[in-house]
Amino acid sequence: GENVEQHPSTLSVQEGDSAVIKCTYSDSASNYFPWYKQELGKRPQLIIDIRSNVGEKKDQRIAVTLNKTAKHFSLHITETQPEDSAVYFCAASIQAGTALIFGKGTTLSVSS
Amino acid sequence: DGGITQSPKYLFRKEGQNVTLSCEQNLNHDAMYWYRQDPGQGLRLIYYSQIVNDFQKGDIAEGYSVSREKKESFPLTVTSAQKNPTAFYLCASSILAEEQFFGPGTRLTVL
């Protein structure tokens, strides 16, 4: 089955810096890759997703890149703000709407 | 977010007791999911259902059971066979081929 590895497990940056979180997956059939943000005690919420027919997708300060050959995808957050502090999860599935396999999460801390 | 609800918010279980966690959605989503979240472990799939009266096991289904008698409801029972049930349980739903929306979660503690 699918396995998703996520790195780093913790990341500390200064406000205004960029943050990058990387994930690798094992099943070459996977073609849907969402990223979720979870604040303490709250539910995960989708922040961006990408499908395998796209190499990069941007939404304001966040972007996701996908390299299907290498089977890895990354989340990029620019101009980080304290409110970006949260746990971020990557996930993969064979198609959107089927079961997601999650990475173990990255705790991002943005200090002002 | 308000379209998918879980109850109760907190639940306490005694040894040898079965408990049932509720998940309801009014989003008309076909698919529903149960995940377990432990510190440092991410979210692990317990069961999922893509259609009424049908469901599939996830990676950690042992000690859990589900039913999908109605499109809106996907209750999870934590049985006495689950030896380490203390965790945060998240339910999610989606239209097939689209993003998953999560409920607010139930925190289960074994006394």
Coordinates of all heavy atoms in Angstrom, one line a residue, chain A residues 38-88:
Chain A
Q38 N -3.5 22.1 10.6 CA -4.2 21.8 11.8 C -3.7 22.7 13.0 O -2.6 22.5 13.4 CB -4.2 20.3 12.2 CG -5.1 20.0 13.4 CD -5.0 18.5 13.7 OE1 -4.0 17.8 13.5 NE2 -6.1 18.0 14.3
E39 N -4.6 23.6 13.4 CA -4.2 24.4 14.6 C -4.5 23.6 15.9 O -5.4 22.6 15.8 CB -4.9 25.7 14.6 CG -4.5 26.5 13.4 CD -5.3 27.8 13.3 OE1 -6.2 28.1 14.0 OE2 -4.9 28.6 12.4
L40 N -3.9 23.9 17.0 CA -4.0 23.2 18.2 C -5.5 22.9 18.6 O -6.2 23.9 18.8 CB -3.3 23.9 19.3 CG -3.1 23.1 20.6 CD1 -2.3 21.8 20.3 CD2 -2.4 23.9 21.7
G41 N -5.9 21.7 18.8 CA -7.2 21.4 19.3 C -8.3 21.5 18.2 O -9.5 21.3 18.5
K42 N -7.9 21.8 17.0 CA -8.9 22.0 15.9 C -8.8 20.9 14.8 O -7.9 20.1 14.8 CB -8.8 23.4 15.3 CG -9.1 24.5 16.3 CD -9.1 25.8 15.7 CE -9.5 26.9 16.7 NZ -9.5 28.3 16.1
R43 N -9.8 20.9 13.9 CA -9.8 20.0 12.9 C -8.8 20.4 11.8 O -8.6 21.5 11.6 CB -11.2 19.9 12.3 CG -11.7 21.1 11.4 CD -13.1 21.1 11.1 NE -13.9 21.6 12.2 CZ -15.3 21.5 12.2 NH1 -15.9 21.0 11.2 NH2 -15.9 22.0 13.2
P44 N -8.3 19.4 11.0 CA -7.5 19.7 9.8 C -8.3 20.4 8.8 O -9.5 20.1 8.6 CB -7.0 18.4 9.3 CG -7.2 17.4 10.5 CD -8.4 17.9 11.2
Q45 N -7.7 21.4 8.1 CA -8.4 22.1 7.0 C -7.5 22.1 5.8 O -6.3 22.4 5.9 CB -8.7 23.5 7.5 CG -9.8 23.5 8.6 CD -10.5 24.9 8.8 OE1 -9.7 25.9 8.9 NE2 -11.8 24.9 8.8
L46 N -8.1 21.9 4.7 CA -7.3 21.9 3.4 C -6.8 23.3 3.1 O -7.5 24.3 3.1 CB -8.2 21.4 2.3 CG -7.5 21.3 0.9 CD1 -6.7 20.1 0.9 CD2 -8.6 21.3 -0.2
I47 N -5.5 23.4 2.8 CA -5.0 24.7 2.4 C -4.6 24.7 0.9 O -4.7 25.8 0.3 CB -3.7 25.1 3.2 CG1 -2.6 24.0 3.2 CG2 -4.2 25.4 4.7 CD1 -1.3 24.5 3.8
I48 N -4.2 23.6 0.3 CA -3.9 23.6 -1.1 C -3.8 22.1 -1.5 O -3.5 21.3 -0.7 CB -2.6 24.3 -1.4 CG1 -2.5 24.6 -2.9 CG2 -1.4 23.6 -0.9 CD1 -1.4 25.6 -3.3
D49 N -4.1 21.8 -2.8 CA -3.9 20.5 -3.2 C -3.4 20.5 -4.7 O -3.5 21.5 -5.4 CB -5.2 19.6 -3.1 CG -6.4 20.2 -3.9 OD1 -6.2 21.2 -4.7 OD2 -7.5 19.8 -3.6
I50 N -2.9 19.4 -5.1 CA -2.4 19.3 -6.5 C -2.7 17.9 -7.1 O -2.7 16.9 -6.3 CB -0.9 19.7 -6.5 CG1 -0.4 19.9 -8.0 CG2 0.0 18.6 -5.8 CD1 1.0 20.5 -8.0
R51 N -3.0 17.9 -8.3 CA -3.2 16.6 -9.0 C -2.0 16.3 -10.0 O -1.3 17.3 -10.3 CB -4.5 16.7 -9.8 CG -5.7 16.7 -8.8 CD -7.0 16.9 -9.5 NE -8.2 16.6 -8.6 CZ -8.6 17.5 -7.7 NH1 -8.1 18.6 -7.6 NH2 -9.6 17.1 -6.9
S52 N -1.9 15.1 -10.4 CA -0.6 14.7 -11.0 C -0.5 15.3 -12.4 O 0.6 15.1 -13.0 CB -0.6 13.2 -11.1 OG -1.6 12.7 -11.9
N53 N -1.5 15.9 -12.9 CA -1.3 16.5 -14.3 C -0.8 17.9 -14.2 O -0.7 18.6 -15.2 CB -2.6 16.5 -15.0 CG -3.8 17.2 -14.3 OD1 -3.7 17.4 -13.1 ND2 -4.8 17.5 -15.0
V54 N -0.4 18.4 -12.9 CA 0.1 19.7 -12.7 C 1.4 19.6 -11.9 O 1.5 18.8 -11.0 CB -1.0 20.5 -11.9 CG1 -0.4 21.9 -11.6 CG2 -2.3 20.6 -12.7
G55 N 2.4 20.4 -12.3 CA 3.7 20.4 -11.6 C 3.8 21.4 -10.5 O 4.5 21.1 -9.5
E56 N 3.0 22.5 -10.5 CA 3.1 23.5 -9.5 C 1.7 24.2 -9.4 O 1.0 24.4 -10.4 CB 4.2 24.5 -9.8 CG 4.4 25.5 -8.7 CD 5.6 26.5 -9.0 OE1 6.2 26.3 -10.0 OE2 5.8 27.3 -8.1
K57 N 1.4 24.6 -8.2 CA 0.2 25.3 -8.0 C 0.4 26.4 -6.9 O 1.0 26.0 -5.9 CB -1.0 24.4 -7.6 CG -2.3 25.0 -7.4 CD -3.3 23.9 -7.1 CE -4.7 24.5 -6.9 NZ -5.7 23.4 -6.6
K58 N -0.1 27.6 -7.1 CA 0.1 28.7 -6.1 C -1.2 29.2 -5.7 O -2.2 29.3 -6.4 CB 1.0 29.8 -6.7 CG 2.4 29.4 -7.0 CD 3.2 30.6 -7.5 CE 4.6 30.3 -7.7 NZ 5.4 31.4 -8.2
D59 N -1.2 29.7 -4.4 CA -2.4 30.4 -3.9 C -1.8 31.4 -2.9 O -1.6 31.1 -1.7 CB -3.4 29.4 -3.2 CG -4.6 30.1 -2.7 OD1 -4.8 31.3 -2.9 OD2 -5.5 29.4 -2.1
Q60 N -1.7 32.6 -3.3 CA -1.1 33.7 -2.5 C 0.2 33.3 -2.0 O 1.2 33.2 -2.8 CB -2.1 34.1 -1.4 CG -3.5 34.5 -2.0 CD -4.5 35.0 -0.9 OE1 -4.4 34.5 0.2 NE2 -5.3 35.9 -1.3
R61 N 0.4 33.2 -0.6 CA 1.7 32.9 -0.1 C 2.1 31.4 0.0 O 3.2 31.1 0.4 CB 1.8 33.5 1.3 CG 1.6 35.0 1.4 CD 1.9 35.5 2.9 NE 0.9 34.9 3.8 CZ 1.1 34.0 4.7 NH1 2.4 33.5 4.8 NH2 0.2 33.6 5.6
I62 N 1.2 30.6 -0.4 CA 1.5 29.1 -0.4 C 1.6 28.6 -1.8 O 0.9 29.0 -2.7 CB 0.5 28.3 0.5 CG1 -0.9 28.5 -0.1 CG2 0.6 28.8 1.9 CD1 -1.9 27.5 0.6
A63 N 2.5 27.6 -2.0 CA 2.6 26.9 -3.3 C 3.0 25.5 -3.0 O 3.5 25.1 -2.0 CB 3.7 27.6 -4.1
V64 N 2.6 24.6 -3.9 CA 2.9 23.2 -3.9 C 3.6 22.8 -5.2 O 3.1 23.2 -6.2 CB 1.7 22.3 -3.5 CG1 0.6 22.5 -4.5 CG2 2.1 20.9 -3.4
T65 N 4.6 22.0 -5.1 CA 5.3 21.5 -6.3 C 5.3 20.0 -6.2 O 5.3 19.4 -5.2 CB 6.8 22.0 -6.4 OG1 7.5 21.6 -5.2 CG2 6.8 23.5 -6.5
L66 N 5.2 19.4 -7.4 CA 5.1 17.9 -7.5 C 6.1 17.4 -8.5 O 6.2 17.9 -9.7 CB 3.7 17.5 -7.9 CG 3.4 16.1 -8.3 CD1 3.6 15.2 -7.1 CD2 2.0 15.9 -8.9
N67 N 6.9 16.4 -8.2 CA 7.8 15.7 -9.1 C 7.4 14.3 -9.1 O 7.7 13.5 -8.2 CB 9.2 15.9 -8.6 CG 10.2 15.3 -9.5 OD1 10.0 14.3 -10.2 ND2 11.4 15.9 -9.6
K68 N 6.6 13.9 -10.1 CA 6.1 12.5 -10.2 C 7.2 11.5 -10.4 O 7.2 10.4 -10.0 CB 5.0 12.4 -11.3 CG 3.7 13.0 -10.9 CD 2.5 12.1 -11.3 CE 2.4 10.9 -10.5 NZ 1.3 10.0 -10.9
T69 N 8.2 11.9 -11.2 CA 9.3 11.0 -11.5 C 10.0 10.6 -10.2 O 10.3 9.4 -9.9 CB 10.3 11.6 -12.4 OG1 9.6 12.0 -13.6 CG2 11.5 10.7 -12.8
A70 N 10.3 11.6 -9.3 CA 11.0 11.3 -8.1 C 10.0 10.9 -7.0 O 10.5 10.6 -5.9 CB 11.8 12.5 -7.6
K71 N 8.7 11.0 -7.2 CA 7.7 10.7 -6.2 C 7.8 11.6 -5.0 O 7.9 11.0 -3.8 CB 7.6 9.2 -5.9 CG 7.1 8.4 -7.1 CD 6.8 7.0 -6.7 CE 8.1 6.1 -6.6 NZ 7.8 4.7 -6.5
H72 N 8.0 12.9 -5.2 CA 7.9 13.8 -4.0 C 7.2 15.0 -4.3 O 7.1 15.5 -5.5 CB 9.3 14.0 -3.4 CG 10.3 14.7 -4.3 ND1 10.2 16.1 -4.5 CD2 11.4 14.3 -4.9 CE1 11.2 16.5 -5.3 NE2 11.9 15.4 -5.5
F73 N 6.7 15.7 -3.3 CA 6.0 16.9 -3.4 C 6.3 17.8 -2.2 O 6.6 17.3 -1.1 CB 4.5 16.7 -3.6 CG 3.8 15.9 -2.6 CD1 2.9 16.5 -1.7 CD2 4.0 14.6 -2.5 CE1 2.2 15.8 -0.8 CE2 3.3 13.8 -1.5 CZ 2.4 14.4 -0.7
S74 N 6.2 19.1 -2.4 CA 6.7 20.0 -1.3 C 5.7 21.2 -1.2 O 5.0 21.6 -2.1 CB 8.0 20.6 -1.7 OG 9.0 19.6 -1.8
L75 N 5.6 21.7 0.1 CA 4.8 22.8 0.4 C 5.7 24.0 0.7 O 6.7 23.8 1.4 CB 3.9 22.6 1.6 CG 3.1 23.7 2.1 CD1 1.9 24.0 1.2 CD2 2.6 23.5 3.5
H76 N 5.5 25.1 0.0 CA 6.3 26.3 0.2 C 5.4 27.4 0.8 O 4.4 27.7 0.2 CB 6.9 26.8 -1.1 CG 7.7 25.7 -1.8 ND1 9.1 25.7 -1.9 CD2 7.3 24.6 -2.5 CE1 9.5 24.7 -2.5 NE2 8.5 24.0 -2.9
I77 N 5.8 28.0 1.9 CA 5.1 29.1 2.5 C 6.1 30.3 2.5 O 7.2 30.2 3.1 CB 4.6 28.9 3.9 CG1 3.8 27.6 3.9 CG2 3.8 30.1 4.4 CD1 3.4 27.2 5.4
T78 N 5.7 31.4 1.8 CA 6.6 32.6 1.8 C 6.1 33.6 2.7 O 4.9 33.6 3.1 CB 6.6 33.2 0.4 OG1 5.3 33.5 0.0 CG2 7.2 32.2 -0.6
E79 N 6.9 34.5 3.1 CA 6.6 35.6 4.0 C 5.8 35.1 5.2 O 4.7 35.6 5.5 CB 5.8 36.7 3.2 CG 6.6 37.3 2.1 CD 5.7 38.2 1.2 OE1 4.7 38.7 1.7 OE2 6.1 38.5 0.1
T80 N 6.3 34.2 5.9 CA 5.6 33.6 7.0 C 5.2 34.6 8.1 O 5.9 35.6 8.3 CB 6.4 32.5 7.7 OG1 7.7 33.0 8.1 CG2 6.6 31.3 6.7
Q81 N 4.0 34.3 8.7 CA 3.5 35.1 9.8 C 3.2 34.2 11.0 O 3.0 33.0 10.9 CB 2.1 35.7 9.2 CG 2.3 36.6 8.0 CD 1.0 36.9 7.3 OE1 -0.1 36.6 7.8 NE2 1.1 37.6 6.2
P82 N 3.1 34.8 12.2 CA 2.8 34.0 13.4 C 1.6 33.1 13.3 O 1.6 32.0 13.8 CB 2.7 35.1 14.5 CG 3.6 36.2 14.0 CD 3.4 36.2 12.5
E83 N 0.6 33.6 12.5 CA -0.6 32.8 12.4 C -0.5 31.6 11.5 O -1.4 30.8 11.4 CB -1.8 33.7 11.9 CG -1.5 34.5 10.7 CD -1.1 35.9 11.0 OE1 -0.3 36.1 12.0 OE2 -1.4 36.8 10.3
D84 N 0.7 31.5 10.8 CA 1.0 30.3 10.1 C 1.5 29.1 11.0 O 1.6 28.0 10.6 CB 2.1 30.5 9.1 CG 1.7 31.5 8.0 OD1 0.5 31.5 7.6 OD2 2.6 32.2 7.5
S85 N 1.7 29.4 12.3 CA 2.1 28.4 13.2 C 1.0 27.4 13.4 O -0.1 27.7 13.7 CB 2.5 29.0 14.6 OG 3.6 29.9 14.4
A86 N 1.4 26.1 13.1 CA 0.4 25.0 13.2 C 1.1 23.7 12.8 O 2.3 23.7 12.5 CB -0.8 25.3 12.2
V87 N 0.3 22.6 12.8 CA 0.9 21.4 12.3 C 0.4 21.2 10.8 O -0.8 21.4 10.6 CB 0.4 20.2 13.1 CG1 1.0 18.9 12.5 CG2 0.9 20.3 14.6
Y88 N 1.3 20.9 9.9 CA 0.9 20.7 8.5 C 1.1 19.2 8.1 O 2.1 18.6 8.5 CB 1.8 21.6 7.6 CG 1.5 23.1 7.8 CD1 2.1 23.8 8.9 CD2 0.7 23.7 6.9 CE1 1.8 25.1 9.1 CE2 0.5 25.1 7.1 CZ 1.0 25.8 8.2 OH 0.7 27.1 8.3

